[in-house]
Amino acid sequence: MKAYSISKYSKGDKMQLVDMPEPNIGDNEVLVAIHATALNQLDNKLKEGEFKLLLPYKFPLVLGHDFAGVITKVGSKVNGFKVGDEVFARPADFHIGTFAEYIAVNENDLALKPKNISMEEAASIPLVALTVWQAFFEKAQLKKGQKVFIQAGSGGVGTIAIQLAKHLGATVATTASANNFELLDNFC
């Protein structure tokens, strides 16, 4: 399979397009043909080595934290998915690698892709949605009636944060450039 890989931490080096073997799957994993992936600041920070003490990855490393695709194989203990299912996910740390044609993913990290969104839209959601979930539920314990300020409301995290905060019944204030007011009108 083709994949974009790095061989060391670097601010200047570019990812290299390489040939790699198709991943093997474990009993609780599925193999997914990736149709879309997303670029995140986290990928760039990992490439530059900013998290090497917290996340000591081994090289060569295929980056990428979000994807949407179609399951092509299932492990012997997989219960919730089948070949042909359209899925999306944020693979667990140390199991990333969505800048490739295929990825092996634990079934617990997957969700069925909603039928009413494209592969590209689905691939844009997992990491930013996880970020918002962690902030609202694990850290702030946001509840109905509370007020929340969301910096950069028209960004990837901001657009998800506004929608989830409103869904929870919070009052939302945000910032955005004048060019993005119309976009935010759809959420507010």
Side-chain angles (χ1 to χ4, degrees):
M1 74 170 182
K2 299 284 187 197
Y4 283 97
S5 175
I6 60 171
S7 57
K8 65 181 180 178
Y9 295 119
S10 172
K11 291 186 179 191
D13 291 351
K14 296 180 180 179
M15 291 184 289
Q16 300 298 311
L17 182 61
V18 297
D19 286 309
M20 300 181 81
E22 188 176 286
N24 294 317
I25 60 170
D27 291 341
N28 296 308
E29 292 181 321
V30 302
L31 185 68
V32 179
I34 297 174
H35 287 230
T37 188
L39 296 170
N40 292 290
Q41 285 294 323
L42 178 57
D43 296 305
N44 192 53
K45 291 181 184 301
L46 282 174
K47 178 186 161 298
E48 294 178 351
E50 290 191 33
F51 295 112
K52 64 185 172 187
L53 296 177
L54 294 171
L55 297 167
Y57 282 101
K58 296 192 183 336
F59 297 101
L61 174 62
V62 177
L63 295 169
H65 288 80
D66 301 284
F67 74 89
V70 177
I71 294 176
T72 61
K73 292 181 187 172
V74 296
S76 62
K77 294 183 180 175
V78 171
N79 294 315
F81 300 93
K82 64 185 182 316
V83 171
D85 282 347
E86 292 186 347
V87 294
F88 71 124
R90 189 286 195 199
D93 288 335
F94 301 107
H95 298 279
I96 64 171
T98 66
F99 298 166
E101 292 181 291
Y102 293 91
I103 189 168
V105 182
N106 187 292
E107 74 171 318
N108 293 328
D109 294 336
L110 287 173
L112 291 171
K113 182 188 78 62
K115 294 186 185 312
N116 65 337
I117 64 174
S118 69
M119 289 286 188
E120 295 81 6
E121 290 166 327
S124 74
I125 296 171
L127 186 59
V128 294
L130 175 62
T131 301
V132 173
W133 182 270
Q134 289 171 330
F136 284 174
F137 289 96
E138 295 176 16
K139 297 294 181 190
Q141 299 174 354
L142 186 63
K143 300 201 179 0
K144 183 177 182 174
Q146 289 183 304
K147 295 177 183 177
V148 63
F149 173 70
I150 299 166
Q151 180 73 22
S154 62
V157 172
T159 55
I160 299 293
I162 290 169
Q163 293 174 80
L164 184 55
K166 291 190 66 62
H167 175 75
L168 293 170
T171 300
V172 177
T174 189
T175 61
S177 67
N179 291 342
N180 291 316
F181 284 0
E182 187 175 335
L183 169 71
L184 294 180
D185 268 348
N186 294 324
F187 300 137
C188 297

